[in-house]
Amino acid sequence: MPQTIAAPVHHELVIKKSRFIACVQPMADRAGAQAVVSALKAQHPGANHVCWALLAGGQSAAVDDGEPSGTAGRPMLDVLRHQDLEGVLATVVRYFGGVKLGAGGLVRAYTDAVAQALLQADKIAIVRTRTLRCLVPYALEGMVRRELEAAGATLADVEHGDAVSLAFALPEVAAAGLVARLNDAGHGRLTWHGEDD
């Protein structure tokens, strides 16, 4: 099950006089990631590289920022993928210490910086939700509300007209079971419409 992290986590490594300052934080999209990277470059004008990796749905990225190709962004992205994370940005600011690390040394340094930061992370499971809407006779409104509460659904909207229209969200894995229970309890008197995935 994919996870995200609750708050930013940091770690700093010094390897052969080079400083690697890592941060992993929640991030929804590439625009947000690029804003964070720009801010880091402004905060660390003396840094040689600000490498980053983003896992955010179809907006994933791996950027080496001048390091040899494949030695920074991709290894950082691999750490995020290996830990089944989603909606996270990893950044590493590198201050070069004068000693070249070689491609293998760079891969290890960027991988370790991100992995060490993630040891401190509070991970949260990402629960996919589904929004449903049903039309309910007034006589059944109380029963439907009790079922929604028992299922852990979140009521989003209620409209009272000729019948009661209820919109609610719940974990995707529980949706089919709840619909079946409500249909049984309502003896076919509930009307479903406008389901969103």
Side-chain angles (χ1 to χ4, degrees):
M1 176 181 290
Q3 299 177 309
T4 191
I5 60 175
V9 290
H10 304 271
H11 188 74
E12 184 173 330
L13 290 176
V14 177
I15 301 171
K16 295 184 180 176
K17 300 181 183 176
S18 281
R19 282 178 65 206
F20 295 85
I21 306 164
C23 177
V24 183
Q25 61 193 319
M27 187 60 55
D29 56 33
R30 190 180 292 240
Q34 289 170 325
V36 167
V37 170
S38 294
L40 283 172
K41 287 182 177 187
Q43 291 168 14
H44 297 275
N48 299 80
H49 309 280
V50 178
C51 303
W52 57 282
L54 172 69
L55 261 184
Q59 299 187 45
S60 298
V63 178
D64 293 321
D65 191 40
E67 291 283 28
S69 181
T71 61
R74 176 65 57 193
M76 293 163 62
L77 188 64
D78 288 345
V79 172
L80 301 179
R81 283 191 174 129
H82 180 72
Q83 297 204 20
D84 203 14
L85 294 171
E86 177 64 33
V88 292
L89 168 67
T91 56
V92 177
V93 175
R94 180 186 182 198
Y95 285 90
F96 181 58
V99 179
K100 293 190 178 221
L101 302 180
L106 287 173
V107 168
R108 280 189 298 280
Y110 282 101
T111 298
D112 289 351
V114 172
Q116 292 294 322
L118 283 169
L119 289 176
Q120 307 164 55
D122 182 14
K123 295 178 183 170
I124 305 164
I126 296 173
V127 178
R128 306 248 183 252
T129 60
R130 184 146 185 212
T131 301
L132 301 172
R133 182 178 288 276
C134 66
L135 207 56
V136 180
Y138 278 92
L140 299 177
E141 180 182 5
M143 176 276 296
V144 170
R145 283 178 178 261
R146 284 189 297 278
E147 285 288 334
L148 294 179
E149 188 175 327
T154 304
L155 203 53
D157 183 44
V158 179
E159 295 174 12
H160 292 88
D162 292 337
V164 182
S165 176
L166 298 162
F168 55 92
L170 74 162
E172 196 171 78
V173 295
L178 177 62
V179 168
R181 280 195 310 280
L182 288 173
N183 283 338
D184 285 347
H187 306 290
R189 295 170 58 201
L190 278 65
T191 306
W192 298 92
H193 58 92
E195 297 181 14
D196 302 321
D197 288 330

